[in-house]
Amino acid sequence: MAWNAWGDPALAKPLSDDVRNLLHTLLEIDTAAAPAPARDEVLVRPSALSGVHLRALTEIVGEEHVSVQDADRLPRAGGKSTPDLLRRRSTGPQDAPDAVVVPGTEEELRDVLALCAQQRIAVVPFGGGTSVVGGLDPVRGEFGAVLSLDLRRFDALLSFDEVSGEAVLGAGVTGPRAEELLGAHGFELGHYPQSFRYATIGGFAATRSSGQDSAGYGRFDEMVRGLRVVTPTGTLDLGRGPASAAGPDLRQLFLGSEGTLGVITAVRVRVHPVPAVRRYEAWRFPDFAAGAAALRAVEQQGTGPTVIRLSDETETAVNLAMTSKIGAPQEVSGCLAVTVFEGTEEQTAARHEATRRTMLAHGATSLGEEPARAWEHGRFDAPYLRDALLDNGALCETLETATDWSNLARLRADVTAALQGALQAGGSTSLVMCHISHVYPTGASLYFTVVGAQRGDAIAQWQAAKTAACDAIAAAGATITHHHAVGTDHRPWMEQEIGELGVAVLKAVKGVLDPVGILNPGKLIP
Amino acid sequence: MAWNAWGDPALAKPLSDDVRNLLHTLLEIDTAAAPAPARDEVLVRPSALSGVHLRALTEIVGEEHVSVQDADRLPRAGGKSTPDLLRRRSTGPQDAPDAVVVPGTEEELRDVLALCAQQRIAVVPFGGGTSVVGGLDPVRGEFGAVLSLDLRRFDALLSFDEVSGEAVLGAGVTGPRAEELLGAHGFELGHYPQSFRYATIGGFAATRSSGQDSAGYGRFDEMVRGLRVVTPTGTLDLGRGPASAAGPDLRQLFLGSEGTLGVITAVRVRVHPVPAVRRYEAWRFPDFAAGAAALRAVEQQGTGPTVIRLSDETETAVNLAMTSKIGAPQEVSGCLAVTVFEGTEEQTAARHEATRRTMLAHGATSLGEEPARAWEHGRFDAPYLRDALLDNGALCETLETATDWSNLARLRADVTAALQGALQAGGSTSLVMCHISHVYPTGASLYFTVVGAQRGDAIAQWQAAKTAACDAIAAAGATITHHHAVGTDHRPWMEQEIGELGVAVLKAVKGVLDPVGILNPGKLIP
């Protein structure tokens, strides 16, 4: 993963001249913006870790698994939100964790946490580094130093139960590695968030990740059967059997805990046989309302697509769902929807047919397979486009929420207006695009992509737009985040989400598990 | 609900002479046991509530909604476990709550809790009164008195959203009343636990209830979208949208909280249109292993039955699944399985056909519709049989658990051996029957029914058997309860279920919400 951009530099997607001209014409973007500094032009704040603490950490995990080098600290200085990436463009001293520690066993991890609690060192658990909500900010809080605790060595398939369709995976196993390990048994997890290529099993659990195949295989939290969590006060091993009435479901405290309550080391997940067949069909709807009604009917009737998505008119107009075609002439008028079906030959055919009938009944026109395959081909690539846009003076970011079906149109209108209004107030015309990518019987997610012109302090500019959007989301009674998690960025809205008493509950739980408060300070819990 | 037995006395099911003879011959049961005392023969411990506290409660809820009369206290003296029913057979002073309080609004409820916290009075929330795990025991703990807090006046459909398929129901709405209120809109909840006729929405939530249609519509906790909970320190309103990544899912702390963390007043649930069609088919498997393999395949392939159940050889031999035929000659050899399918005409046909093929491929023989309809006809009646057995000198009780598919055979063998061994040690030969009634992709529930002879102190006799069974469940790594909840009866196994640290977390949460500890003392939290 590049230290100052998304993913693999070899896969960067520079903008074509056509797109640059379009940005200039439409949004008055000055595409001749200054290029980002190279790594050796960047100053990193010196490590504040004392020699004594460094030696103590080295004794626990071994010399090769602790580093205070800038080259190791800088790539863990934050996640991959637009503010994160803009901060990486600063030549002035950049904040970064004071050391990177890579324990190899639960015992080592326990000892690291005990040392940090005793010596008052903050700890930021680190998986794939893909947070887009400030979940990895190296916040020292009241402590003298902060470590990046990298889980990459918890990288094994710990057990596999073919009969029950369950696997125990180490928290540091990445998305592709999980599928490789399970694939050897003919099984898969089927969890494909946009961060799939880098993010880890532990990160999926800690942030309640949702994958693009969620219509077929559920959210990650729905796949979890058990969790092992190491905390400064002990280890939890939660989850007995497929379902239970033995009191509150404590797994649900650690799912979404974002490293603030403990460090997830292993996750027992539901897995399924690799589907035999995959089918694709794309659709055109005259407008977003008709498309949303179709997606609602498909989900409420349970016709069973693995993927079902709907882009609004603006997103469709710029071909955003098909990354290879962005900037090309508009491919589809109205609103593009994409469906993918998986299973046995017979299941796939039945699911496709039932979904097709419902889509057609709601005003869809079939566009055949190709646009759906084009979506799949570029499904993990959108973040590369953002880097290219930032390189060209544009401001580009995404945010997401979810609400009930009856509240969806209002929520979309309110968030769009809030984003455009705030950016306009800062002198930037903007394009706000939206899609539905996760559906439930009672509601759906909305995912917004915003492109405007950088004007002055781009971080402050985005902060104003983000605040306006979050206020609109909270006012509409929607959730402040459907799958990006809370981190530092959504933390100001947590009290509105769960109430003062809900916050007190989280603090009480943290008080038991992390009494010194070393775990991921400044995230999630207000 | 009868004060000393299950349900409606008019529906009592006295045993036939054939069954009595069978019990005598097979299990050496003395069917001439003494009859249970009538209500006016029973002494109830006098109310310990002071006049001052009674007046204060009266001021909050009004005179007609507080009672210290035996006639109101005795029906709330406990739930409906076999030990509960055996205790009701004692003429000596029976324990009971000191008063029954029936608030009508959240404000009144808040004031009642505030008064109780201040005056140190324990509170047992009461819905339908159907707990079979001691969840309603009138435990005073360290307090001077204990109230039964009856939620019956929270009995409204508070809102209905046809578009989103959601309804907000008051906690005191019973199962039948919920279906009546929703039915007026053409919708249903589809939650049919054996306690359906009496139990309430709040109780379903507080105990993580699972209904007989769980294969089709999920567990109750899966239906819940939002909760309102009044606690001694404030009110929580949890659940935004259909799904969220905004931190830990705090709803999951109150689902299964059994009145120990707060009083649930309203639940937002997913509902669905009343299905157009229902189909039935029953099956015979040569043995339990073949049947279990079939149920696993059906669930893992997602063929979509609404109900799917499998009785073991012993349960099948006594026709236990068809309550109207118990004691009649054996109807089905091997193992009986029951399936029910619901949906549109087309969905129902497709689900039936796909399930049928899987069942046949796993060695099933079709028995046609009739045994499945017979099961449905008597689906809520088994508890009446227990009363008749207790009246005739038999010891009869049920217990349940769940585990992964790969662990199911071992768990069934271990629990059966534990029950029979413990009862035999007390001089009682026993019949242990088992069925699978809830299936998941990764595992299933096991539900055991035990019949033996009462020998001496029947409560102590059952306590020994129950302890042996629970130890076997914990040793096998299964959950101590799949849907009956914890109450007082499973509390000794909670630390094995969630660990010492898990218990500390629950205590910390309780410390925030109920710092004086008035809510349902002695239940759930060790």
Side-chain angles (χ1 to χ4, degrees):
Chain A
M1 177 82 99
W3 68 280
N4 63 347
W6 182 260
D8 179 356
L11 299 177
K13 303 208 173 304
L15 301 186
S16 67
D17 287 345
D18 283 350
V19 173
R20 288 158 55 97
N21 289 337
L22 199 69
L23 289 172
H24 184 70
T25 312
L26 262 182
L27 301 174
E28 299 171 33
I29 291 173
D30 174 10
T31 58
R39 190 148 163 174
D40 55 11
E41 295 174 289
V42 165
L43 279 178
V44 182
R45 213 199 44 177
S47 171
L49 193 74
S50 75
V52 173
H53 292 159
L54 178 59
R55 279 190 295 280
L57 287 167
T58 303
E59 266 175 39
I60 296 170
V61 298
E63 204 171 331
E64 68 276 36
H65 302 302
V66 189
S67 170
V68 291
Q69 301 301 310
D70 289 358
D72 295 311
R73 293 165 56 219
L74 194 54
R76 293 171 182 82
K80 299 293 173 182
S81 70
T82 293
D84 285 330
L85 299 177
L86 292 170
R87 279 181 210 112
R88 296 295 85 75
R89 286 162 190 259
S90 157
T91 51
Q94 290 193 17
D95 206 0
D98 297 297
V100 177
V101 179
V102 195
T105 64
E106 280 193 1
E107 290 66 36
E108 289 180 8
L109 172 55
R110 224 153 31 214
D111 290 348
V112 168
L113 294 183
L115 176 77
C116 290
Q118 199 190 16
Q119 299 298 320
R120 300 185 59 78
I121 301 167
V123 174
V124 180
F126 190 96
T130 61
S131 172
V132 289
V133 292
L136 301 168
D137 287 3
V139 177
R140 279 172 194 75
E142 57 189 293
F143 305 103
V146 57
L147 304 182
S148 177
L149 183 82
D150 194 316
L151 275 297
R152 66 170 56 193
R153 293 171 68 203
F154 291 80
D155 61 351
L157 173 61
L158 298 165
S159 75
F160 180 75
D161 175 352
E162 177 163 357
V163 170
S164 307
E166 282 184 304
V168 181
L169 288 158
V173 174
T174 64
R177 181 68 180 144
E179 295 303 1
E180 188 183 4
L181 290 164
L182 295 169
H185 296 273
F187 279 68
E188 65 167 30
L189 188 54
H191 185 67
Y192 299 105
Q194 200 166 60
S195 59
F196 170 74
R197 288 179 182 144
Y198 300 95
T200 59
I201 295 293
F204 295 152
T207 61
R208 293 185 177 268
S209 170
S210 191
Q212 294 164 354
D213 293 11
S214 67
Y217 305 120
R219 298 165 58 85
F220 194 76
D221 51 21
E222 295 174 312
M223 300 179 183
V224 172
R225 290 290 175 274
L227 289 168
R228 280 187 68 85
V229 188
V230 177
T231 82
T233 50
T235 299
L236 292 128
D237 188 353
L238 297 169
R240 301 273 174 280
S244 173
D249 184 352
L250 296 183
R251 295 172 303 186
Q252 304 285 342
L253 278 179
F254 297 96
L255 294 165
S257 62
E258 302 184 23
T260 65
L261 302 180
V263 180
I264 296 168
T265 59
V267 185
R268 185 156 52 87
V269 285
R270 180 190 78 201
V271 296
H272 58 264
V274 174
V277 179
R278 183 175 293 145
R279 289 201 191 194
Y280 303 82
E281 189 158 12
W283 313 86
R284 178 196 172 278
F285 285 97
D287 55 44
F288 192 72
L295 267 61
R296 174 170 83 88
V298 163
E299 178 63 12
Q300 291 183 342
Q301 292 165 18
T303 64
T306 302
V307 176
I308 185 160
R309 306 167 65 90
L310 172 73
S311 293
D312 74 356
E313 290 84 348
T314 314
E315 189 170 297
T316 302
V318 303
N319 304 328
L320 185 61
M322 300 171 284
T323 50
S324 58
K325 300 178 184 179
I326 289 173
Q330 180 165 354
E331 287 258 329
V332 178
S333 64
C335 290
L336 173 71
V338 166
T339 51
V340 182
F341 306 90
E342 293 183 345
T344 62
E345 178 68 55
E346 187 188 329
Q347 284 171 334
T348 306
R351 290 166 182 169
H352 189 173
E353 177 54 27
T355 303
R356 166 195 289 266
R357 266 183 295 141
T358 302
M359 297 291 262
L360 294 175
H362 283 80
T365 310
S366 176
L367 302 172
E369 286 190 12
E370 201 276 330
R373 288 186 182 274
W375 165 78
E376 188 183 62
H377 181 74
R379 70 194 291 188
F380 305 126
D381 291 343
Y384 290 108
L385 282 163
R386 182 182 51 166
D387 287 318
L389 286 164
L390 294 178
D391 280 343
N392 284 276
L395 185 65
C396 174
E397 182 57 306
T398 65
L399 57 85
E400 39 75 65
T401 176
T403 196
D404 294 347
W405 289 111
S406 59
N407 195 37
L408 206 67
R410 176 216 164 162
L411 179 63
R412 177 165 161 258
D414 288 359
V415 174
T416 302
L419 287 166
Q420 290 187 319
L423 288 169
Q424 196 66 59
S428 174
T429 303
S430 61
L431 211 57
V432 176
M433 296 157 276
C434 183
H435 66 243
I436 295 174
S437 45
H438 304 273
V439 292
Y440 304 89
T442 59
S445 67
L446 287 179
Y447 189 95
F448 296 88
T449 302
V450 190
V451 180
Q454 292 184 29
R455 297 275 187 255
D457 180 347
I459 293 179
Q461 201 188 350
W462 175 247
Q463 191 57 52
K466 172 80 175 175
T467 298
C470 289
D471 286 344
I473 287 168
T479 182
I480 197 64
T481 172
H482 169 268
H483 62 273
H484 279 175
V486 179
T488 52
D489 296 1
H490 293 136
R491 189 176 175 233
W493 288 271
M494 273 301 281
E495 188 171 321
Q496 273 172 276
E497 181 93 14
I498 61 172
E500 196 184 332
L501 202 50
V503 173
V505 166
L506 288 183
K507 285 182 175 167
V509 173
K510 186 169 174 79
V512 168
L513 301 172
D514 177 26
V516 183
I518 57 169
L519 287 175
N520 218 4
K523 320 296 158 47
L524 177 62
I525 305 173
Chain B
M1 177 81 98
W3 67 280
N4 62 346
W6 182 262
D8 179 355
L11 299 177
K13 300 208 176 305
L15 301 186
S16 66
D17 286 346
D18 283 352
V19 173
R20 287 158 56 98
N21 289 337
L22 198 71
L23 290 172
H24 184 69
T25 312
L26 262 181
L27 301 174
E28 298 172 34
I29 291 173
D30 175 9
T31 57
R39 190 151 165 174
D40 55 11
E41 295 174 290
V42 165
L43 279 179
V44 181
R45 212 196 46 175
S47 171
L49 194 73
S50 73
V52 173
H53 292 157
L54 179 59
R55 278 189 296 280
L57 288 167
T58 303
E59 266 176 39
I60 297 170
V61 298
E63 204 170 330
E64 68 277 36
H65 300 302
V66 189
S67 171
V68 290
Q69 301 300 310
D70 290 359
D72 294 312
R73 293 163 59 217
L74 194 55
R76 294 170 181 84
K80 298 294 173 179
S81 70
T82 292
D84 284 330
L85 299 178
L86 292 170
R87 278 182 210 113
R88 293 295 86 75
R89 285 162 190 260
S90 157
T91 52
Q94 291 191 18
D95 206 1
D98 297 297
V100 177
V101 179
V102 195
T105 64
E106 280 194 1
E107 291 65 35
E108 289 181 6
L109 172 54
R110 219 149 39 211
D111 290 347
V112 168
L113 294 183
L115 176 77
C116 290
Q118 200 192 13
Q119 299 297 321
R120 302 185 59 76
I121 300 168
V123 174
V124 180
F126 189 95
T130 61
S131 171
V132 290
V133 293
L136 300 169
D137 287 3
V139 176
R140 280 172 193 74
E142 58 188 293
F143 305 103
V146 57
L147 304 182
S148 178
L149 184 82
D150 194 317
L151 274 296
R152 66 171 55 195
R153 293 172 67 203
F154 291 82
D155 60 352
L157 173 62
L158 298 166
S159 74
F160 180 75
D161 176 351
E162 176 162 358
V163 170
S164 307
E166 280 184 307
V168 181
L169 288 159
V173 175
T174 64
R177 181 68 180 145
E179 295 304 2
E180 189 184 3
L181 290 164
L182 295 168
H185 295 272
F187 279 68
E188 64 166 31
L189 188 54
H191 184 66
Y192 298 105
Q194 202 167 55
S195 59
F196 170 74
R197 288 181 182 143
Y198 300 96
T200 60
I201 294 295
F204 296 152
T207 61
R208 293 186 177 269
S209 171
S210 190
Q212 293 164 356
D213 293 11
S214 68
Y217 305 118
R219 297 166 58 84
F220 193 76
D221 51 21
E222 295 174 310
M223 300 179 185
V224 172
R225 289 291 173 275
L227 287 170
R228 280 187 68 85
V229 188
V230 176
T231 81
T233 50
T235 299
L236 293 127
D237 187 353
L238 298 169
R240 302 272 174 278
S244 173
D249 184 352
L250 296 183
R251 294 172 304 185
Q252 304 286 341
L253 279 179
F254 296 95
L255 293 166
S257 61
E258 304 186 21
T260 65
L261 302 180
V263 179
I264 297 166
T265 58
V267 186
R268 185 157 51 88
V269 285
R270 181 189 79 201
V271 296
H272 57 264
V274 173
V277 178
R278 184 174 292 145
R279 287 201 193 195
Y280 303 84
E281 189 158 14
W283 313 86
R284 178 196 171 276
F285 284 98
D287 55 43
F288 192 73
L295 267 61
R296 174 169 82 89
V298 163
E299 179 62 13
Q300 290 182 342
Q301 292 166 18
T303 63
T306 303
V307 175
I308 187 161
R309 307 166 65 91
L310 173 72
S311 294
D312 74 356
E313 291 83 348
T314 313
E315 190 170 297
T316 303
V318 304
N319 303 328
L320 185 62
M322 299 170 284
T323 48
S324 57
K325 298 179 184 177
I326 290 173
Q330 180 165 355
E331 287 257 332
V332 178
S333 63
C335 289
L336 172 72
V338 166
T339 51
V340 182
F341 307 90
E342 293 183 346
T344 62
E345 178 70 54
E346 186 187 328
Q347 285 171 333
T348 306
R351 290 165 182 170
H352 189 175
E353 177 52 28
T355 303
R356 167 196 289 266
R357 266 184 292 141
T358 302
M359 296 291 263
L360 294 175
H362 283 80
T365 310
S366 174
L367 301 172
E369 285 191 12
E370 200 277 332
R373 288 187 182 271
W375 164 78
E376 188 182 63
H377 181 74
R379 71 196 290 190
F380 304 128
D381 291 343
Y384 289 108
L385 283 163
R386 182 181 50 165
D387 287 317
L389 287 163
L390 295 178
D391 281 342
N392 283 274
L395 186 65
C396 174
E397 182 57 306
T398 65
L399 56 85
E400 40 73 67
T401 176
T403 196
D404 294 347
W405 289 110
S406 60
N407 195 37
L408 206 66
R410 177 216 162 163
L411 179 64
R412 178 166 160 257
D414 289 359
V415 174
T416 302
L419 286 167
Q420 291 187 319
L423 288 170
Q424 195 67 60
S428 174
T429 304
S430 61
L431 211 58
V432 175
M433 296 157 276
C434 183
H435 66 243
I436 296 173
S437 44
H438 304 274
V439 293
Y440 304 89
T442 60
S445 67
L446 288 179
Y447 189 95
F448 296 88
T449 303
V450 191
V451 180
Q454 291 184 30
R455 298 275 187 253
D457 180 347
I459 293 178
Q461 201 189 347
W462 175 247
Q463 191 56 53
K466 173 80 174 176
T467 298
C470 289
D471 286 345
I473 286 168
T479 182
I480 198 64
T481 172
H482 168 269
H483 61 273
H484 280 173
V486 179
T488 51
D489 296 0
H490 294 136
R491 189 176 175 231
W493 288 270
M494 273 301 281
E495 189 171 322
Q496 273 173 277
E497 181 95 14
I498 62 174
E500 196 183 334
L501 202 49
V503 173
V505 166
L506 288 184
K507 285 181 175 167
V509 173
K510 187 171 174 77
V512 168
L513 301 173
D514 177 26
V516 183
I518 57 167
L519 287 175
N520 219 4
K523 320 295 157 48
L524 178 63
I525 305 172

